[in-house]
Amino acid sequence: MEHTFDIVIVGAGGGGLFAALEAIRTDPKVSVAVVSKVYPTRSHTSAAQGGVNAALGNKDRDDTVELHVFDTVKGSDYLADQDAVAYLCSQAPQVVRELENLGAPFSRFPDGSIAQRPFGGTVKDRCCYCADKTGHTILHTLFEQCLRRGVKFFNEYFLLSLEHDGGECQGIIAMNMRTGAIETFSAQIVILATGGHAKMYWNRSSNAAGNTGDGQAAALRAGISLKDMEFIQFHPTGLRKSGLLVTEGARGEGGYLLNRHGERFMARYAPQKMELGPRDVVARSMETEIIKGNGFDSDAGSYIELDLRHLGAEAIKKKLPQIRELSMHFEGIDPIEEPIPVRPTAHYSMGGIDTTMAKTAVRGIYAIGECACVSVHGANRLGGNSLLDILVFGKRAGQEAACEAPQRKALGITPAAVRRAADEIRSYASHERYERYGIIREELGRTMGDNVGIYRTGERLRQGVDAIRQLRRRFRHIRLYDTGTVYNTNLIQILELKNMLDLALCVAVTALERQESRGSHYREDFPLRDDAIWHKHSLCTMGEDGDIQLGNRAITMGMYPLEARSY
Amino acid sequence: MERREVSFRIQRYNPQVDQTPFYDNFKIAVEKGITILRVLNHIKEQLEPRLTFRAFCQAGICGSCAVRVNGISKLACTTQVWDELTGGGDDPILIEPLSNLPVIRDLLVDIDPVIEKLRQNQGWVVPSIPEEKMGFKEHAVSDDEFEVINAATDCILCGSCYSECSMMGVNPRYISPPVLLKTFRMNNDTRDTDGDERLRRVTADHGLWDCTHCYRCVEHCTKNIPIMDGIHRLREEAFERGMTGSEGARHAQAFFDDTRNTGRLREVTLPLRTKGVTGSFGMLPLALKMALKGRTPPLFVHRIAGIERIREIYRKLEK
Ligand SMILES: Cc1cc2nc3c(=O)[nH]c(=O)nc-3n(C[C@H](O)[C@H](O)[C@H](O)COP(=O)(O)OP(=O)(O)OC[C@H]3O[C@@H](n4cnc5c(N)ncnc54)[C@H](O)[C@@H]3O)c2cc1C
């Protein structure tokens, strides 16, 4: 089947939906399609608990956009592009209010204004929230508004490839998961909004099963570069057994982190901000405590305790109901009565498709949200800035796409490209193949956790790079056991694994290359930040042979000069 | 760590090869604390790569993995195997797709009908602020106003209530609990301006008045949302807005009278009072289907305790 639209958006998370909505609001005449491998409301935006940052000044009256910019730049360890950060923070109050105007049910202060709570790494309390279901309510609100505007959805379609003629966008090729049919979507504009890739750490990750970076991998294979891939954020508080997330809001509301001596050890690492230091600092401090033997021991590994008991039953039930539910379901613990066992978990990908204010190097191809790297998060994202990122740049991409689409020609997708996609899928079912999906994926997760984790060294990273290369070779023999065409989840798993392997290699090689410590990237063999050499973005491109080539890009500075980062 | 062998009996169906659904059995060693989803993943990765189901967040928030476990709709990711053991742990745990939705393959159903009904019934806020003024100022909403809809905004559209609803089983065109809940959530949002139109739509045939109050939606909501409270509130609202001319409203009036008189509903004679004698014949197939499903209302209604309280509430309401 061949589809033709002015704008095709891949991904129906908060970023993709806001882009779709905005494109239609900007110009109701443009035709917009949203293609997503899961039903829109299943997208991982739904998992965001804590909130979204905006300097509304409802809590701290003296909060300003400039302070938000400062926190973000400092949080990024000065790797973010300051023009992009300035745009992000200046648009924040407007997009949050707009979302509220469209029906998002934010929690309120007694005067009726949007409530704000403290979040990590900020000098003012500016995180707007809806209890601990912020992402869920934002996603549903955007989905509702898209239904209202008649946005056309192609749900359960899987992106196979991104097509362009060398300089201009042609569209995408996707598989209809219900029928197995390969379908083309010609479009003047494609907006990639496929979410993050931190699931490559598998059960050491807080991410949904499908956060496999499909858009990033498609872009990489289409010759578009990826930026700052070595930066993966580890969230301090993943549940011990599952890696599932306990929001930073739990510490924002006053939760303590305790080691097995009952000590609030953050006093030794971030004496001022304590538990609310930025994520990289808190996660590393916890890991250090565990390595020193100060963690609690259990069958499921060592852990730290997150103690909420002193907040009281009332506050826990009202402000952190989901956390309570998760703790009960997955750890069998009621946080009103017992501390929650936690340890750091791979959580967010700061790196992604290289964009300048949402645009890639190919005309007509945009990327936004967690799959993109603008870069506003640099080496470490602040909690609450990612929802903001998807809203602000989703909106911008939607507006620009609606203006740009009518000025561009539809180029169409070549039959050769469709044949390539079909051949690849057919090849997986060959009887000569023997490698199993589960085993390769398991080994990838382990390698990433062990060799490309929170603490990194040149030696371990080299082992990691070798191991991933080896796994990519083995992947060539992977066997598709399900040969049906109706909703073949076995095939989807294999396609996702291929994407994770390509991206994992990018993460590992850039981490090995960067011989300094900055934000989430911590090298035991190079423990200091080295601005003279490494104050620059890293770039990855894929060569003809499928290997990764490296490059660099200067950072755009602005109001805030380089400074040492302490909390 | 406690560990035991557990049998799982899983419904399979691939429309490309199977004439009808059948069951596959798997016996595996399971540790205490393992969820149904972990079991499904294990089976898919180790034993049967063709087993087909949806799963995404694994944390009970995306709503993808709802299936029926031992006959009841639940999220696979938040359901513990240990809680489902019966017969001293020897009976197999039965895993089947949700009811009332077309099966695409194995445990995976088509949820488009739910989305389509949301669309038809305008499950979105129509804001009071005009487009060009958006983004400048937030509405003032008090905590109390928000509290009314708070629980309803928890809905993850997992489809469990749709699957459990007794009315859905007999009438696929029925509006369904999640759509009524969404309508309630929108109509009680102080920022919305389209309550009348939404209510007009949901009070049409196969709509608001067809709910049988079986409470199965509330009982099996994976997010513990008091869905029936929302449905009751919508009915009250229909009266307040004077949408009383329709058959459904007459039905509700009868309901209103019953509850006032006995504290309970005399459902057997309800059709008579609502549709008149001839109209009621049309209800027979429905009644038969309900009887087959074991859901016929009792013939003799007993007054429930606290009837005085209920009468009191009505007296106040009427004033
Ligand atoms: C547990 C958790 C809690 C978080 N809490 C917060 C928080 O409190 N505050 C905050 O700011 N951020 C938070 N984040 C981060 C934030 O939620 C995400 O970064 C953000 O929601 C990403 O949105 P997105 O629109 O880019 O992508 P997603 O919401 O991940 O959506 C991706 C979309 O792309 C589609 N897609 C992917 N691959 C394909 C393909 N091959 N074909 C077709 N479609 C495809 C998917 O179907 C999906 O619709 C949290 C993240 C996690 C994991």
Side-chain angles (χ1 to χ4, degrees), chain A residues 10-16 35-40 43-53 119 127 134 139 157-160 193-196 206-208 210-215 245 247 279 347-348 368-371 381-388 390 499, chain B residues 56:
Chain A
V10 190
V35 175
S36 174
K37 70 176 173 183
V38 299
Y39 273 91
S43 303
H44 205 52
T45 294
S46 66
Q49 302 164 346
V52 48
N53 295 335
F119 236 51
C127 187
T134 314
L139 185 65
Y157 274 67
F158 191 94
L159 170 71
L160 296 174
T194 54
S206 67
N207 283 198
N211 276 17
T212 49
D214 304 342
L245 191 79
T247 172
R279 290 185 175 167
H347 180 58
Y348 183 84
I368 53 160
E370 195 173 335
C371 76
R381 165 185 77 103
L382 292 188
N385 264 359
S386 168
L387 286 177
L388 182 61
I390 66 178
N499 293 337
Chain B
F56 204 61

Side-chain angles (χ1 to χ4, degrees), chain A residues 25 39 42 58 97 101 103-104 108 114 133 136 144-145 149 156 209 329 441 482 485-486 489, chain B residues 16 44-45 54 56 62 80 105 112 125 131 135 137-139 150 153-155 157 182 185 191:
Chain A
R25 288 163 83 190
Y39 273 91
R42 315 298 195 219
N58 291 353
R97 290 199 174 106
N101 293 168
R108 303 289 171 160
I114 295 174
K133 52 180 174 181
H136 160 79
E144 288 152 14
Q145 293 299 319
R149 298 284 179 160
E156 308 198 312
H329 280 314
R441 194 216 58 217
D482 185 345
T485 54
V486 175
T489 43
Chain B
Q16 286 182 302
K44 185 167 181 67
E45 279 175 27
R54 286 193 190 93
F56 204 61
C62 81
Q80 296 281 331
R105 184 173 170 184
D112 279 345
V125 164
E131 278 292 315
K137 209 168 151 289
E138 59 226 63
H139 297 84
N150 189 2
T153 65
D154 285 351
C155 174
L157 295 176
K182 189 71 105 180
R185 177 250 176 274
R191 301 164 296 182

